[in-house]
Amino acid sequence: MHRSRLAGFIIDCRTDDLEAAAKFWGEALGMHPEPQEDPTQPVYVRLQADHRDLHIEVQKVEHESRVHLDIEADDIEAEVTRLEKLGARQLAKVRTWVVMEAPTGQRFCVVRGNRARLTVAGNRWGKETTELAKPGTIAAPVGTVGTASLTVATEHLANRLKDVILPPVLATPVMITLMENAALNALKPYLTTGNTAVGTRIDVRHLAATPLGRTVMAKAIVTEVEGRRIAFSVEAHDGDRLIGEGRHERRLIDLDGLSKS
């Protein structure tokens, strides 16, 4: 059994000015070109895909300009074999990927994929199963970390936010909000257009009081992804002190469907 999914698109440009080509496509798509980090690959410029969970690259080529897609797999050989059975043919092996051609003539590549992302959002293939990835899932791997921080101001204090009989320290609801923001920040790179993730459960302990002016940092770590449900371990520190810890869950929702309900 192996998994595969659409990884992204490569914009092949027959040009001598890759920078100008990347600038055009970046502005056309609203996706800024990223700095070139690999000097051994001067023919590629990656565009910032943000939360779209795809890689989009502009590539300098010698053949006619076109667009091709990449399919990522955790087992390239098995995926190539599967696609050949569907009628595709293998054209070349290039370093770590395989160039193929569809029965309808379009060329595409099979590339090595991120195993954690494929586990969550990949299509599963095997001798007796052709299970497509279920809709409404998110490709955030277990171990993904998000953070959020704030400096405690007057409006964050328990005696201002809740009741004057309380001490002038960070209110528990503010700490919880910071933890939730950290969890949402962990998911943002993996959210697709029209989706978000709302909080559904929080179970935390507030361990220590934080006075006015201290900076609080919250951290959320993805511990489980099950369909639309994402679980986190969360904690908060003010400096070296652990001031809160616990568990949190969020649920993936469709904003369009919410607005129509």
Side-chain angles (χ1 to χ4, degrees):
M1 189 267 287
H2 76 282
R3 296 178 185 267
S4 67
R5 68 187 288 272
L6 173 66
F9 298 90
I10 312 299
I11 304 170
D12 296 334
C13 300
R14 188 175 179 179
T15 179
D16 292 326
D17 193 342
L18 180 61
E19 182 178 349
K23 183 173 185 290
F24 168 79
W25 283 109
E27 293 183 359
L29 300 176
M31 301 164 66
H32 298 297
E34 294 183 351
Q36 178 60 262
E37 297 180 353
D38 186 353
T40 68
Q41 298 293 334
V43 297
Y44 291 97
V45 173
R46 185 165 181 166
L47 304 182
Q48 294 177 353
D50 299 325
H51 58 272
R52 283 166 252 206
D53 195 30
L54 294 172
H55 75 251
I56 311 293
E57 294 179 337
V58 180
Q59 177 183 199
K60 180 181 176 182
V61 298
E62 299 296 329
H63 56 69
E64 293 299 319
S65 295
R66 63 192 181 201
V67 175
H68 78 263
L69 60 84
D70 281 356
I71 295 174
E72 64 175 346
D74 55 12
D75 186 331
I76 291 179
E77 184 177 349
E79 179 67 0
V80 168
T81 299
R82 183 183 75 85
L83 294 167
E84 286 177 330
K85 290 179 180 178
L86 295 176
R89 66 190 184 100
Q90 185 177 156
L91 299 181
K93 291 183 178 180
V94 185
R95 292 194 287 276
T96 60
W97 66 90
V98 176
V99 181
M100 302 193 73
E101 184 177 83
T104 47
Q106 292 91 349
R107 294 190 178 189
F108 60 95
C109 294
V110 179
V111 303
R112 192 179 311 282
N114 179 291
R115 191 172 294 273
R117 183 171 59 214
L118 286 166
T119 298
V120 175
N123 302 312
R124 186 173 64 184
W125 314 106
K127 292 182 179 179
E128 298 179 355
T129 178
T130 55
E131 178 188 339
L132 296 177
K134 295 179 180 179
T137 59
I138 188 168
V142 170
T144 298
V145 177
T147 61
S149 65
L150 65 76
T151 298
V152 180
T154 303
E155 62 267 24
H156 303 138
L157 300 178
N159 66 340
R160 287 294 188 94
L161 185 67
K162 299 174 73 176
D163 196 295
V164 294
I165 68 171
L166 294 172
V169 295
L170 178 70
T172 301
V174 177
M175 183 190 73
I176 290 173
T177 297
L178 198 62
M179 290 172 165
E180 290 201 63
N181 287 342
L184 188 58
N185 287 339
L187 298 181
K188 281 181 179 179
Y190 303 96
L191 292 171
T192 57
T193 302
N195 285 344
T196 189
V198 296
T200 56
R201 179 179 178 181
I202 188 79
D203 180 11
V204 300
R205 297 187 302 158
H206 198 164
L207 303 172
T210 302
L212 184 72
R214 295 289 296 271
T215 296
V216 177
M217 171 73 74
K219 180 169 72 172
I221 304 173
V222 175
T223 57
E224 184 181 357
V225 179
E226 182 182 14
R228 292 180 177 270
R229 184 182 71 88
I230 309 101
F232 304 83
S233 65
V234 292
E235 58 185 47
H237 293 79
D238 65 353
D240 295 331
R241 291 195 312 161
L242 177 68
I243 66 165
E245 63 179 1
R247 297 175 298 164
H248 175 45
E249 290 185 6
R250 303 191 75 82
R251 183 172 179 82
L252 190 68
I253 66 166
D254 185 335
L255 288 171
D256 291 336
L258 185 65
S259 64
K260 295 175 183 176
S261 61

